[in-house]
Amino acid sequence: MANDTAQIHNDTDGMALALAWAAKGMFITAPNPRVGCVIVRDGVVIGAGHTQPAGQAHAEIEAMRDARRRGHDVAGATAYVTLEPCSHYGRTPPCSNALVQAGVKRVVAAMLDPNPLVAGRGLAQLEAAGIAVTSGVLAEQAHELNIGFFSRMRRGLPWVRLKVAASLDGATALADGESQWITGPDARADGHAWRARAQAILTGIGTVKADDPQLTVRGIDTPLPPRRVIVDSRLEIDLGARILQGEPCWIVAALEVQEKSAEKAALLRAAGHEVILLPNATGKVDLPALMRELGRREINEVHVEAGSKLNASMVREGCVDELLVYLAPSLIGPGQGMFALPPLARLADQRRLRFHDLARVGDDIRILARFINTDITTKE
């Protein structure tokens, strides 16, 4: 947690505290990045804040307001901000202008903003106004916090995280589909935290039919609940499915030509859901096109919880950046697997990942592994 009473001895201390403040905005800032700012004078924090929901104040403005509430003038102080201050008029005025007008002496940014409308211009404006500028402090941590925003700005695609929970021998369910519960309550709670940080939760019609899930976030306050996205090529979804209750869903189909399908699409739309038609040449949903569409809709992070068939299709078509795997200390034997991938002719064709993080969560192990060819560089 952020400790505003801590003495700031150096830039690393200042940025670490700014990152702690940025994390406080984890579930509220989308589609904007999660940004934190602390303002320091003589090693003492005089103001701190994080970016508010879209259309409201950014972190720098919040920190300066906080300083004024505490009775401080920020003139001559140092501002630590986890992303380059914006320099353009969007939903809010430029933060770089506000910092110049406030008379801060120095600005330390973790990273340049990947938004083409900013991309170095914010820091250049500060330097032109005589403010000392430093960047690249704790850049990797800042990048991780906003990996989806960086992905969308640089690739036009959200960062896609595919979650599976399995036994130590790789089974996600018994052969008959029973899967509740392989992993323990701590792992399940942790999974909800990962759901909550995404802007979309994606599943397939097979999972909806088999499990009738809600795919909502539970146990975490999420003012902006993730949009639920269902890949359903032939519009087979039951209108009474639990996933259709509550907030509207996006149902992604490949056809709407049959009378029955057209009628169901009309009923779904009448209930507030959106039917998106994205067919590929084989009559299935075009998954890469879906990822591009989600990026266009300003989705930064996608959390996938699906069955082995859709999991395999997502991986095969290059739509997954990262695996979030929970392994339970148990053996199930023959059952349903993580990915229904076809056999390889050569071992050289295996899809390679690198372990990014490994942690124990309750009695289970959590693995974050990233496909090597989809890493997004932190280089500016």
Side-chain angles (χ1 to χ4, degrees), residues 161-173 181-197 220 303-305 323-330 332 338-339 357-369:
R161 182 179 297 114
L162 191 155
K163 178 253 183 181
V164 289
S167 61
L168 204 55
D169 54 348
T172 61
W181 298 103
I182 292 175
T183 53
D186 292 334
R188 296 197 295 275
D190 190 69
H192 276 276
W194 286 97
R195 277 187 187 179
R197 69 170 283 165
I220 298 170
H303 179 94
V304 180
E305 292 194 28
L323 301 183
L324 171 64
V325 181
Y326 295 91
L327 290 180
S330 66
I332 288 179
M338 302 184 196
F339 305 95
D357 185 66
L358 177 68
R360 183 166 177 169
V361 181
D363 292 330
D364 305 310
I365 295 294
R366 183 189 69 204
I367 300 169
L368 276 175

Side-chain angles (χ1 to χ4, degrees), residues 134-145:
T134 300
S135 65
V137 179
L138 299 184
E140 185 176 349
Q141 292 90 325
H143 180 266
E144 286 295 319
L145 193 63

Side-chain angles (χ1 to χ4, degrees), residues 2-234:
N3 181 7
D4 295 350
T5 63
Q7 188 75 15
I8 304 301
H9 299 288
N10 50 48
D11 287 349
T12 300
D13 288 348
M15 192 59 69
L17 184 57
L19 285 165
W21 270 92
K24 291 184 177 186
M26 178 68 73
F27 308 128
I28 67 169
T29 66
N32 291 336
R34 304 148 180 147
V35 180
C37 177
V38 296
I39 301 175
V40 177
R41 178 184 286 113
D42 298 327
V44 177
V45 176
I46 62 173
H50 62 78
T51 294
Q52 299 300 300
Q56 299 182 37
H58 289 187
E60 299 92 325
I61 306 303
E62 284 288 298
M64 288 190 284
R65 287 175 180 171
D66 182 51
R68 287 193 291 270
R69 284 192 295 266
R70 300 188 196 192
H72 297 289
D73 182 353
V74 303
T78 295
Y80 293 92
V81 60
T82 60
L83 194 66
E84 175 187 12
C86 64
S87 58
H88 68 295
Y89 283 89
R91 296 181 178 93
T92 59
C95 293
S96 55
N97 286 358
L99 291 167
V100 171
Q101 292 166 6
V104 299
K105 181 180 180 180
R106 183 169 178 251
V107 172
V108 181
M111 297 191 73
L112 297 184
D113 191 331
N115 187 336
L117 297 174
V118 185
R121 294 180 181 89
L123 294 185
Q125 181 183 351
L126 296 174
E127 285 187 304
I131 297 173
V133 167
T134 300
S135 65
V137 179
L138 299 184
E140 185 176 349
Q141 292 90 325
H143 180 266
E144 286 295 319
L145 193 63
N146 286 303
I147 194 165
F149 179 76
F150 275 83
S151 174
R152 183 166 64 83
M153 287 294 124
R154 290 177 171 169
R155 307 185 302 177
L157 300 170
W159 181 261
V160 180
R161 182 179 297 114
L162 191 155
K163 178 253 183 181
V164 289
S167 61
L168 204 55
D169 54 348
T172 61
L174 300 181
D176 64 3
E178 181 184 350
S179 61
Q180 297 184 347
W181 298 103
I182 292 175
T183 53
D186 292 334
R188 296 197 295 275
D190 190 69
H192 276 276
W194 286 97
R195 277 187 187 179
R197 69 170 283 165
Q199 290 73 60
I201 301 174
L202 185 147
T203 194
I205 186 60
T207 297
V208 173
K209 283 182 171 182
D211 300 336
D212 195 20
Q214 292 176 288
L215 285 186
T216 54
V217 175
R218 295 182 288 281
I220 298 170
D221 183 20
T222 49
L224 297 173
R227 179 77 63 168
R228 291 166 298 171
V229 181
I230 306 150
V231 175
D232 182 7
S233 293
R234 295 187 293 274

Side-chain angles (χ1 to χ4, degrees), residues 274-289:
E274 183 175 355
V275 178
I276 304 168
L277 297 178
L278 290 174
N280 65 13
T282 64
K284 300 288 187 180
V285 167
D286 187 328
L287 295 174

